[in-house]
């Protein structure tokens, strides 16, 4: 149908348990063809297990995994046209860069030619005769990506791909992955616990918690319109303060972002618990009543224990 994107990957009713612990709880997920889709969640939320199920490295208890309209649920990993980049890259130290890249296609006649072409695309041709120990973290990442892409998979799975890269290199590495994904037009699922990474990379993203997907949308949709208080309390740095609205004459729970709190004047009053200096301004933690905490920004540093007035310019109401 015109205007409806083709699905590169579809997951339906996926369940996976280890013993009595249910790690994936009835997961439904659609990823568009050529989309960079990010799954964001805490450690232990089930993100990596979901990737491993899609790759065929874990057998599912129930549900379906469909790639390009083909049910691959019971297919072995090598038949799924899926490549997975693991968190620690898994480069073989006794093999050269060229040999590492060739591994998925080493039995094919044109393996060397394709590996060199992929190294060219990723800017690592000059390193082909080196060993992994002779490379930086960013260079090792590119080698691992080249190895994942050399067989031209339909779906690329990235498990915390920037976790082993030093902070100053991460911005460049994020940009590299996004540019590469756009150029190759590969349906990509990218798992991370880092919100900045997720927001920067995603076309769309999902929030995952305790084996369930809580919300799917663009980064902007999840940031401005969280579906529930759990997503609200997770997304953002700092995240929304989710508090009982009764302290402010509002029924239900409300979510308030620090950017939407004006400190210095207003109808509400609280006590400064602490103030953190963050990038040229102070993030002020204000306690209202016994245990309600609201956060806001101030250009000057208030004293701990000081009483301050503030106003809430905008908030979101949650029913539960």
């Amino acid at each position: 149908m015109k205007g409806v994107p083709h699905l590169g990957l579809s997951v339906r009713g996926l369940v996976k348990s280890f013993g009595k612990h249910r790690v994936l709880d009835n997961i439904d997920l659609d990823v568009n063809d050529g989309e960079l889709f990010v799954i964001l969640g805490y450690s232990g939320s089930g993100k990596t297990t979901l990737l491993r199920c899609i790759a065929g490295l874990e057998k599912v208890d129930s549900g379906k995994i469909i790639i390009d309209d083909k049910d691959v649920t019971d297919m072995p990993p090598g038949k799924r046209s899926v490549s997975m980049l693991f968190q620690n890259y898994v480069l073989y130290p006794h093999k050269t860069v060229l040999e590492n890249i060739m591994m998925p296609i080493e039995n094919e006649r044109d393996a060397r030619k394709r590996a060199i072409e992929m190294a060219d695309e990723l800017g690592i041709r000059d390193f082909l005769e080196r060993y992994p120990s002779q490379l930086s973290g960013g260079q090792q990442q590119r080698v691992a990506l080249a190895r994942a892409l050399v067989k031209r998979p339909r779906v690329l799975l990235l498990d915390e791909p920037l976790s082993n890269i030093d902070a100053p290199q991460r911005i460049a590495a994020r940009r590299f992955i996004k540019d590469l994904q756009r150029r190759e037009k590969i349906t990509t699922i990218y798992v991370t616990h880092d919100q900045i990474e997720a927001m920067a990379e995603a076309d769309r993203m999902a929030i995952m918690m305790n084996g369930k997907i809580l919300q799917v949308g663009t980064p902007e949709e999840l940031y401005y319109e969280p579906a529930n208080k759990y997503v609200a309390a997770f997304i953002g740095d700092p995240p929304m303060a989710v508090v009982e609205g009764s302290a402010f004459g509002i029924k239900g729970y409300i979510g308030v972002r620090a950017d939407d709190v004006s400190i210095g004047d207003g109808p509400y009053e609280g006590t400064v618990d602490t103030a953190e200096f963050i990038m040229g301004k102070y993030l002020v933690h204000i306690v209202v009543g016994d245990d309600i905490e609201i956060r806001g920004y101030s250009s000057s540093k208030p004293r701990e224990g000081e009483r301050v007035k503030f106003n809430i310019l905008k908030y979101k109401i949650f029913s539960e």
Side-chain angles (χ1 to χ4, degrees), residues 256-276 281-288 293-303 306-313:
V256 183
R257 293 213 177 273
D259 288 327
D260 297 323
V261 174
S262 174
I263 297 174
D265 195 16
Y268 310 118
E269 190 172 8
T271 303
V272 175
D273 180 58
T274 188
E276 304 170 88
K281 55 188 176 182
Y282 294 91
L283 177 63
V284 183
H285 299 250
I286 304 170
V287 177
V288 180
E293 183 182 283
I294 292 291
R295 296 179 287 266
Y297 289 108
S298 173
S299 59
S300 59
K301 184 178 183 179
R303 298 186 312 275
E306 179 182 348
R307 297 287 291 177
V308 294
K309 290 187 174 183
F310 65 94
N311 194 13
I312 297 174
L313 306 177

Side-chain angles (χ1 to χ4, degrees), residues 97-126:
V97 167
L98 178 59
E99 290 168 339
N100 267 283
I101 296 172
M102 287 173 59
M103 285 186 65
I105 56 170
E106 59 188 355
N107 294 324
E108 299 183 25
R109 188 172 57 182
D110 60 346
R112 182 181 178 87
K113 176 175 178 289
R114 286 165 59 186
I116 292 172
E117 288 174 351
M118 184 56 64
D120 254 342
E121 281 191 48
L122 272 64
I124 52 174
R125 182 163 184 165
D126 291 344

Side-chain angles (χ1 to χ4, degrees), residues 8 45 52-53 92 125 191 193 197 214 227 237 243 256 262 280 305:
S45 62
R52 290 179 61 84
C53 288
Y92 290 86
R125 182 163 184 165
V191 154
H193 66 277
E197 213 174 289
L214 301 186
D237 185 16
V243 299
V256 183
S262 174

Side-chain angles (χ1 to χ4, degrees), residues 46 57 67 121 140 147 159 189 197 222 224 226 261 290-291 296 298:
L57 302 176
I67 296 175
E121 281 191 48
Q140 289 182 19
R147 186 178 61 189
D159 186 14
I189 303 179
E197 213 174 289
L222 269 63
Y224 292 113
V261 174
D290 293 330
D291 58 1
S298 173

Side-chain angles (χ1 to χ4, degrees), residues 6-189:
H6 176 258
L7 294 179
L9 170 76
S10 185
V11 173
R12 286 287 173 267
L14 204 68
V15 174
K16 174 66 181 176
S17 298
F18 293 112
K20 294 182 178 179
H21 178 52
R22 181 167 286 193
V23 181
L24 300 178
D25 191 1
N26 200 35
I27 298 289
D28 288 325
L29 187 66
D30 289 328
V31 180
N32 296 325
D33 188 34
E35 184 174 32
L36 202 169
F37 191 95
V38 174
I39 300 175
L40 175 67
Y42 296 118
S43 296
S45 62
K47 310 182 302 296
T48 296
T49 300
L50 177 56
L51 284 196
R52 290 179 61 84
C53 288
I54 293 169
L57 302 176
E58 297 285 354
K59 184 174 176 60
V60 305
D61 298 337
S62 60
K64 297 289 184 184
I65 299 167
I66 299 165
I67 296 175
D68 281 344
D69 301 322
K70 180 185 292 186
D71 187 344
V72 302
T73 312
D74 297 319
M75 285 186 181
K79 299 291 187 181
R80 295 190 181 204
S81 192
V82 171
S83 284
M84 183 167 175
L85 176 63
F86 295 93
Q87 185 173 348
N88 59 2
Y89 305 150
V90 198
L91 298 178
Y92 290 86
H94 62 287
K95 291 180 179 287
T96 65
V97 167
L98 178 59
E99 290 168 339
N100 267 283
I101 296 172
M102 287 173 59
M103 285 186 65
I105 56 170
E106 59 188 355
N107 294 324
E108 299 183 25
R109 188 172 57 182
D110 60 346
R112 182 181 178 87
K113 176 175 178 289
R114 286 165 59 186
I116 292 172
E117 288 174 351
M118 184 56 64
D120 254 342
E121 281 191 48
L122 272 64
I124 52 174
R125 182 163 184 165
D126 291 344
F127 308 137
L128 289 177
E129 299 308 316
R130 295 188 190 180
Y131 291 89
S133 62
Q134 297 172 307
L135 304 178
S136 69
Q139 290 164 348
Q140 289 182 19
Q141 180 206 47
R142 292 190 182 203
V143 174
L145 277 168
R147 186 178 61 189
L149 292 169
V150 72
K151 64 177 184 178
R152 299 293 180 185
R154 290 294 303 130
V155 176
L156 177 64
L157 308 175
L158 304 177
D159 186 14
E160 301 275 6
L162 305 185
S163 62
N164 294 324
I165 297 178
D166 293 337
Q169 296 178 312
R170 285 185 185 176
I171 293 176
R174 285 202 311 258
R175 179 65 181 270
F176 175 79
I177 288 175
K178 193 160 191 171
D179 288 348
L180 174 68
Q181 193 270 340
R182 291 284 186 272
R183 187 167 69 246
E184 299 291 331
K185 297 181 175 61
I186 296 176
T187 303
T188 301
I189 303 179

